[in-house]
């Protein structure tokens, strides 16, 4: 009764109690009250009304539910039956306890058996009862005995009488308690006649109708040509004494005339009389002239069906199947027997599928060349038939998909959806590898061996402990026991290596002496021979006899070095030392030979005048290595500036414009800045701002993405990013390739001077100096008119024009 706290009283508004809807689930689950408990609680006034939660007194009018046997105050149940909360979907009201729907509302106070209205309470009797025998029908199914105890609350007790009941099949009977719902079933065979009327039921005593006969019998069609195997009793009502079904083929049985055969489809019953019988044929073949008129003309009378039907000699004029609705084609032959011959006319007809129209001879069948693209019934294949007229498009291919077992394929015709499971099964026990875990038959096809929780007992390659369970796979899992193993090149012993790992590399260079005995293996620690290709292909390190550089040809043990062109790089410079380049040794040698030839030519001219010369230094190898570049116009300009500075006593070590200081910008980057100063300025400003944000902000990295640009502009960004210690990466492909720069806090930094300011200072420094500045120095250094004349005649020279 603790759940009754959810009830709400609204006496001021309506004067009756309402039950919370959340309480309905509890009310429907309350079990039926037992008779003894109800009598005890009502007699001792301990029973509460579920609606008002008040004690039901001995003399209070009550009402009892006939479904759950709960007892309520009569006034409370009347108010509840009229309340909206008790209304059911159909006409009626619901019991507060069991929610059983009742059509009639409670109106009067009656005893529990319903015989006496307003029963008087007797101290020696059950409260609210009449004191007479109950007499209500018991709850048993077949019980006809009324309740024989005094009027009481709650359900009537089970009938104590015993009756003799038969089993389902009626062959066995035994005494049992009346009203007991247990169905009596014996262990004997049913034996009832099945639907085929030829066999009896072989099932044990059962309820309901017997199953149809499951025996397979062979049935013959009506014409006796086709047979089939079906369940016994199939088409029993269609049996005519000779067959059970129609095979849909031509009957072909001999007719009564014993000269012709039946041309009807396999049919039930006897065949029709011969259609050529004299008693049935009354006209000529075309039907225009009666045979009686032809007899008058001298034709002989037909005696049997084999006699020919006389012809009237007229045109047949039977309508043919060809033609159209407007034009009907008639047979042009003379009156004849049999079918009319092919029509000699033409017709405008549609093809079978109705897509095209064409005028063709009537004797031909017109089919178009349109191939049907509709899906077949399987939903996977297309029809593909020309001029298709099928409506169902059944697929006749074999499915062939693997079944769920993975061993067999589906043998049904191609179908939609998943294939049926494999019906094959095994009746042998299926065990795990060790045999301790068993699956008993029947075993469905494709069933995997059972999982075993025991340790694997197979023989393993190593002697380490086994940590995996018994399994059905052929190979055991690899052994993961940690061991010590040497690397493949026997360089060092590695620890904590799983047992199953065989090829272990230490990551060091092999460094074994190759068979050529001149080189060592450069491969990383490996297995097998060092020379997998068969011979050493490393470059020869023997010096060349002419220049001393390595041979560099593929290793050739036991043979002299081949005569090849030397490709080594050597450094050359001009006489003044301004120009420096790295060129191929062959080019340097040819350049020196040209230089030596010019020098010897100049010396020979001196020999002709009687002087002597030493040509030995021009022919030595040491001098050959001192190849010189030719000085260009820039070298001459620097030399003139140096001489002029010496003459004017100018200190060349001074750098007033700070243009000779070591620069972090390469010459190529400076040249690009001079060509496109605006672009370089914008890029450098963006990189500078990114570096400042990265160093001042809290984030460790900051990135910026430049828009897509050409290769030259991307090269400038990469070089500037290297100066600022900024990471730069190119992404995407042409023509949308772009550059993304990333500045790291504490790593990226701005140089002392920007490239833009450096280019501007160089431009200012390269401007011609004022004339007064030159005259001032000239007055201090020169005292004669000769030097003044030379200064006036010499052009203005920028002696600060130097290259970084």
């Amino acid at each position: 009764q603790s759940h009754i706290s959810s009830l709400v009283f609204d006496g001021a508004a309506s004067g009756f109690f309402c039950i919370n809807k959340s309480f309905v689930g509890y009310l429907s689950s309350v079990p039926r009250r037992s008779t003894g408990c109800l009598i005890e609680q009502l007699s001792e006034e301990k029973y509460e009304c579920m609606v008002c939660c008040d004690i039901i007194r001995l003399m209070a009018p009550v009402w009892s539910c006939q479904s759950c046997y709960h007892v309520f105050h009569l006034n409370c149940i009347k108010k509840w039956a009229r309340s909206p909360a008790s209304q059911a979907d159909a006409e009626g009201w619901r019991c507060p306890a069991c929610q059983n729907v009742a059509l009639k509302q409670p109106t009067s106070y009656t005893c529990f058996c319903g015989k006496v209205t307003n029963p008087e309470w007797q101290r020696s009797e059950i409260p609210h009862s009449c004191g007479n025998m109950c007499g209500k029908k018991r709850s048993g199914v077949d019980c006809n005995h009324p309740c024989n105890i005094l009027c009481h609350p709650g359900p009537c007790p089970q009938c104590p009488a015993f009756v003799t009941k038969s089993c389902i099949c009626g062959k066995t009977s035994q005494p049992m308690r009346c009203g007991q719902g247990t169905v009596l079933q014996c262990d004997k065979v049913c034996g009832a006649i099945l639907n085929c009327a030829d066999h009896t039921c072989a099932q044990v005593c059962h309820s309901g109708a017997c199953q149809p006969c499951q025996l397979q019998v062979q049935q013959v069609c009506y014409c006796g040509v086709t047979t089939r195997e079906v369940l016994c009793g199939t088409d029993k009502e269609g049996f005519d004494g000779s067959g059970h079904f129609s095979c849909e083929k031509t009957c072909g049985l001999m007719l009564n005339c014993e000269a012709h055969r039946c041309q009807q489809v396999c049919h039930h019953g006897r065949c029709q009389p011969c259609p050529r019988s004299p008693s049935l044929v009354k006209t000529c073949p075309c039907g225009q002239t009666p045979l009686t008129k032809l007899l008058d003309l001298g034709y002989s009378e037909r005696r049997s069906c084999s006699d020919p039907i006389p012809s009237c000699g007229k045109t047949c004029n039977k309508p043919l199947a060809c033609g159209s609705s407007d034009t009907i084609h008639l047979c042009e032959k003379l009156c004849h027997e049999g079918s009319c011959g092919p029509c000699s006319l033409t017709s405008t007809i549609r093809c079978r599928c109705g897509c095209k129209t064409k005028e063709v001879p009537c004797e031909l069948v017109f089919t178009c060349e349109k191939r049907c693209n509709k899906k077949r019934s399987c939903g996977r294949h297309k029809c593909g038939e020309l001029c298709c007229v099928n409506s169902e498009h059944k697929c006749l291919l074999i499915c062939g998909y693997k079944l769920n077992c993975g061993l067999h394929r589906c043998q049904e015709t191609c179908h939609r959806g998943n294939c049926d499971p494999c019906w094959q099964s095994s009746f042998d026990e299926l065990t795990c590898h060790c045999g301790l875990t068993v699956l008993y038959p029947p075993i469905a096809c494709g069933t995997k061996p059972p999982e075993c929780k025991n340790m694997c007992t197979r023989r393993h390659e190593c002697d380490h402990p086994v940590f995996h369970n018994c399994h059905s796979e052929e190979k055991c899992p690899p052994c993961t026991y940690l061991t010590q193993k040497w690397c493949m090149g026997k360089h060092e012993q590695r620890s904590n290596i799983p047992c199953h790992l065989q090829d272990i590399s230490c990551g060091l260079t092999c460094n074994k002496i190759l068979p050529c005995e001149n080189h060592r293996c450069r491969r990383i620690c490996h297995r097998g021979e060092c020379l997998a290709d068969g011979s050493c292909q490393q470059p020869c390190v023997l010096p060349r006899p002419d220049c001393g550089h390595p041979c560099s040809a593929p290793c050739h043990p036991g043979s002299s070095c081949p005569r090849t062109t030397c490709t080594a790089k050597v450094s050359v410079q001009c006489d003044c030392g301004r120009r420096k380049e790295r060129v191929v040794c062959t080019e340097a040698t040819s350049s020196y030979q040209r230089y030596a030839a010019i020098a010897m030519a100049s010396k020979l001219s001196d020999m002709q005048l009687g002087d002597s010369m030493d040509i030995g230094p021009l022919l030595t190898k040491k001098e050959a290595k001192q190849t010189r570049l030719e000085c260009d116009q820039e070298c001459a300009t620097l030399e003139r500036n140096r001489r002029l500075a010496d003459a004017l006593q100018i200190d060349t070590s001074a750098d007033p414009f700070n243009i000779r200081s070591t620069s972090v910008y390469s010459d190529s980057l400076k040249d690009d800045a001079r060509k496109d100063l605006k672009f370089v300025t914008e890029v450098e400003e963006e990189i500078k701002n990114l570096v400042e944000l990265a160093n001042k902000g809290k984030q460790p990295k900051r990135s910026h993405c430049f828009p897509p640009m050409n290769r030259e502009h991307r090269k400038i960004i990469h070089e500037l990013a290297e100066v600022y210690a900024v990471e730069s990466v190119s992404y995407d492909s042409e023509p949308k390739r772009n550059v993304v720069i990333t500045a790291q806090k504490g790593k990226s930094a701005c140089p002392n001077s920007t490239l833009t300011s450096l280019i501007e200072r160089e431009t200012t420094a390269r401007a011609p100096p004022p004339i007064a500045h030159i005259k001032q120095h000239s007055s201090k250094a020169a005292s004669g008119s000769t030097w003044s004349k030379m200064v006036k005649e010499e052009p203005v020279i920028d002696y600060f024009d130097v290259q970084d």
Side-chain angles (χ1 to χ4, degrees):
Q1 302 295 335
S2 60
H3 295 276
I4 308 301
S5 59
S6 60
L7 301 177
V8 180
F9 177 68
D10 189 10
S14 57
F16 59 87
F17 295 89
C18 297
I19 296 181
N20 194 341
K21 293 183 179 179
S22 64
F23 193 51
V24 172
Y26 163 74
L27 297 178
S28 59
S29 63
V30 175
R32 291 185 173 186
R33 300 283 182 170
S34 62
T35 302
C37 182
L38 284 173
I39 293 174
E40 181 182 357
Q41 293 181 0
L42 289 173
S43 301
E44 296 178 359
E45 293 187 342
K46 294 182 180 180
Y47 192 87
E48 295 181 359
C49 176
M50 187 176 289
V51 178
C52 65
C53 298
D54 196 5
I55 298 296
I56 297 179
R57 302 300 175 182
L58 295 175
M59 301 179 65
V62 296
W63 178 85
S64 177
C65 178
Q66 298 301 316
S67 178
C68 62
Y69 302 105
H70 274 76
V71 181
F72 307 90
H73 286 118
L74 181 61
N75 292 333
C76 293
I77 201 63
K78 286 182 179 180
K79 295 177 182 179
W80 166 257
R82 293 193 300 266
S83 66
S86 68
Q87 301 303 314
D89 295 337
E91 296 181 359
W93 60 281
R94 295 176 291 105
C95 172
C98 64
Q99 303 299 313
N100 181 55
V101 177
L103 299 178
K104 184 179 179 181
Q105 292 190 0
T107 57
S108 59
Y109 169 43
T110 59
C111 63
F112 296 111
C113 65
K115 298 176 182 178
V116 178
T117 304
N118 299 323
E120 295 181 2
W121 175 68
Q122 301 293 333
R123 186 175 298 273
S124 60
E125 296 177 357
I126 301 174
H128 315 291
S129 68
C130 61
N132 300 322
M133 189 178 68
C134 178
K136 291 191 295 185
K137 189 180 185 305
R138 300 180 187 271
S139 59
V141 179
D142 299 330
C143 181
N144 296 322
H145 307 102
C147 180
N148 57 358
I149 64 176
L150 298 180
C151 180
H152 61 88
C156 296
Q158 190 176 6
C159 183
F162 280 84
V163 294
T164 302
K165 288 188 177 183
S166 301
C167 64
I168 300 174
C169 64
K171 294 183 178 181
T172 305
S173 61
Q174 66 180 25
M176 58 187 307
R177 190 177 293 276
C178 178
Q180 187 175 355
T182 305
V183 179
L184 184 60
Q185 185 176 7
C186 65
D187 56 353
K188 297 182 180 180
V189 178
C190 176
I193 301 297
L194 297 179
N195 59 329
C196 62
D198 295 330
H199 305 96
T200 57
C201 179
Q203 291 181 327
V204 180
C205 180
H206 60 87
S207 60
C210 299
Q211 296 292 331
C213 185
Q214 300 298 317
L215 294 177
Q216 293 283 342
V217 296
Q218 194 173 31
Q219 292 183 349
V220 184
C221 66
Y222 297 123
C223 61
V225 176
T226 307
T227 59
R228 67 178 182 180
E229 285 191 0
V230 293
L231 295 178
C232 183
T234 303
D235 292 337
K236 179 182 177 182
E237 63 279 357
F239 182 68
D240 65 344
S242 60
H244 291 79
F245 66 99
S246 173
C247 62
E248 302 300 330
K249 299 179 182 178
T250 304
C251 178
L253 294 178
M254 186 64 69
L255 299 178
N256 295 334
C257 64
E258 298 182 358
H260 302 95
R261 295 184 177 275
C262 180
Q263 299 299 320
Q264 293 180 343
V265 177
C266 181
H267 55 86
H268 182 275
R270 295 183 177 182
C271 298
Q272 297 292 331
C274 181
R276 293 178 56 89
S277 175
S279 60
L280 298 178
V281 179
K282 301 296 182 181
T283 61
C284 64
C286 67
Q288 301 182 42
T289 306
L291 290 182
T292 54
K293 291 186 177 181
L294 296 177
L295 292 176
D296 296 342
L297 295 176
Y299 286 93
S300 59
E301 185 178 0
R302 296 180 70 243
R303 301 293 181 181
S304 66
C305 60
S306 301
D307 296 338
I309 301 175
S311 173
C312 64
K314 300 178 182 179
T315 304
C316 181
N317 286 335
K318 287 183 179 179
L320 301 177
C322 56
S324 61
S325 59
D326 300 333
T327 305
I328 300 176
H329 294 176
L330 302 177
C331 180
E332 298 177 351
K333 296 181 180 180
L334 297 179
C335 179
H336 60 88
E337 294 188 38
S339 60
C340 297
C343 181
S344 59
L345 302 176
T346 59
S347 299
T348 302
I349 59 174
R350 285 186 175 273
C351 61
R352 295 187 305 174
C353 64
C355 292
K356 292 185 179 180
T357 304
K358 186 178 181 180
E359 185 174 357
V360 295
C362 294
E363 60 183 359
L364 299 180
V365 177
F366 173 48
T367 56
C368 67
E369 299 297 325
K370 182 180 178 181
R371 195 172 295 277
C372 181
N373 290 324
K374 292 183 179 179
K375 290 282 187 179
R376 294 186 179 180
S377 58
C378 62
R380 289 187 296 175
H381 304 113
K382 289 185 178 180
C383 177
E385 185 178 349
L386 296 177
C387 195
C388 178
V389 293
N390 296 330
S391 58
E392 297 182 358
H393 297 278
K394 291 184 178 181
C395 186
L396 302 179
L397 301 176
I398 300 299
C399 177
Y401 274 6
K402 273 193 175 182
L403 300 178
N404 57 346
C405 63
L407 303 175
H408 305 97
R409 294 184 178 272
C410 181
Q411 299 299 324
E412 298 181 1
T413 55
C414 198
H415 54 84
R416 289 182 178 270
N418 298 330
C419 299
D420 293 335
C422 183
W423 296 108
Q424 299 189 30
S425 58
S426 172
F427 292 92
D428 297 330
E429 294 180 353
L430 183 62
T431 62
C432 64
H433 187 270
C434 65
L436 297 179
T437 306
V438 183
L439 286 179
Y440 295 98
I443 306 297
C445 181
T447 302
K448 295 182 179 180
E451 294 185 3
C452 183
K453 296 183 179 180
N454 301 305
M455 286 296 175
C456 181
T457 57
R458 301 189 188 193
R459 186 173 181 179
H460 300 87
E461 298 178 356
C462 59
D463 297 332
H464 299 137
V466 178
F467 298 106
H468 58 271
N469 294 342
C470 177
H471 55 89
S472 58
E473 291 79 10
E474 294 182 2
K475 294 184 178 180
C476 290
C479 179
T480 57
Y481 191 83
L482 299 180
T483 60
Q484 289 185 347
K485 289 190 176 184
W486 285 92
C487 65
M488 293 181 289
K490 302 296 182 181
H491 301 119
E492 62 180 7
Q493 192 176 27
R494 308 299 297 272
S495 302
N496 297 331
I497 303 299
C499 174
H500 70 276
L501 294 181
Q502 299 297 329
D503 299 337
I504 304 169
S505 176
C506 61
L508 302 176
T509 305
C510 179
N511 208 29
K512 290 182 180 179
I513 298 178
L514 298 179
C516 65
E517 298 182 354
N518 294 328
H519 302 95
R520 291 181 178 272
C521 180
R522 297 179 180 178
R523 296 170 58 190
I524 302 299
C525 181
H526 60 87
R527 177 176 293 277
E529 298 295 334
C530 294
L531 295 178
D533 299 336
S535 61
C536 178
Q537 298 297 325
Q538 298 186 28
C540 179
V541 295
L542 296 178
R544 292 175 177 267
D546 49 356
C547 61
H549 294 133
C551 175
S552 299
C555 185
H556 46 82
S559 62
S560 59
C561 296
R563 291 183 174 274
T564 57
T565 303
C566 182
T567 58
K569 293 281 187 177
V570 295
S571 298
V572 296
Q573 62 181 6
C574 63
D575 292 334
C576 66
R578 189 190 68 83
R579 296 183 59 196
K580 294 181 180 180
E581 293 183 4
R582 289 185 62 82
V583 297
V584 180
C585 178
T586 305
E587 296 180 2
T589 304
S590 61
S591 175
Y592 173 76
Q593 291 175 355
R594 185 169 61 255
Y595 170 78
I598 295 173
M600 292 180 65
S602 62
K603 295 292 184 181
L604 288 175
S605 62
D606 295 339
M607 291 177 62
Q608 293 177 359
L609 297 177
D611 296 338
S612 62
M613 62 171 294
D614 184 13
I615 63 175
L618 300 176
L619 301 177
T620 60
K621 296 180 181 179
K622 181 177 180 182
E623 293 295 331
K625 295 182 180 179
Q626 298 178 357
T627 306
R628 295 287 186 268
L629 295 176
E630 295 181 0
C631 291
D632 56 2
Q633 187 65 29
E634 188 71 20
C635 296
T637 301
L638 292 177
E639 181 63 22
R640 288 197 305 270
N641 289 344
R642 186 185 63 78
R643 291 178 182 178
L644 183 60
D646 292 341
L648 299 178
Q649 297 181 358
I650 298 175
D651 187 8
T652 58
S653 61
D655 191 8
F657 298 101
N658 194 24
I659 60 177
R660 295 182 182 177
S661 58
T662 304
S663 175
V664 295
Y665 303 100
S666 63
D667 294 340
S668 62
L669 188 58
K670 293 179 181 178
D671 294 340
D672 294 335
R674 295 188 187 100
K675 295 177 183 177
D676 195 350
L677 184 60
K678 181 179 179 182
F679 174 76
V680 174
T681 303
E682 294 176 355
V683 172
E684 192 172 21
E685 186 67 23
E686 193 67 43
I687 297 177
K688 183 179 178 182
N689 295 336
L690 184 66
V691 172
E692 292 177 354
L693 288 175
N695 291 329
K696 294 179 181 179
K698 296 182 179 180
Q699 300 179 358
K701 291 185 179 181
R702 279 186 175 272
S703 300
H704 174 75
C705 179
F706 287 98
M709 56 187 67
N710 56 29
R711 181 180 299 175
E712 297 299 329
H713 285 177
R714 295 198 304 271
K715 174 176 171 292
I716 294 174
I717 295 176
H718 288 302
E719 292 182 357
L720 282 175
E722 185 177 357
V723 173
Y724 283 81
V726 173
E727 181 183 357
S728 61
V729 181
S730 297
Y731 293 98
D732 298 335
S733 57
E734 299 290 353
K736 295 184 179 181
R737 193 166 180 81
N738 61 337
V739 181
V740 177
I741 59 175
T742 304
Q744 297 185 7
K745 186 176 182 180
K747 183 178 180 181
S748 303
C750 298
N752 295 330
S753 61
T754 62
L755 178 60
T756 305
S757 60
L758 181 63
I759 296 300
E760 291 177 353
R761 289 200 302 270
E762 288 184 359
T763 304
T764 306
R766 291 178 186 273
I771 300 299
H773 184 69
I774 298 179
K775 289 182 178 182
Q776 181 181 0
H777 287 281
S778 64
S779 62
K780 295 180 180 179
S783 58
S785 60
T786 304
W787 181 249
S788 301
K789 184 177 180 181
M790 182 183 67
V791 172
K792 293 180 182 179
E793 292 178 356
E794 286 289 335
V796 178
I797 299 174
D798 183 8
Y799 49 83
F800 293 103
D801 186 10
V802 296
Q803 298 292 330
D804 291 339

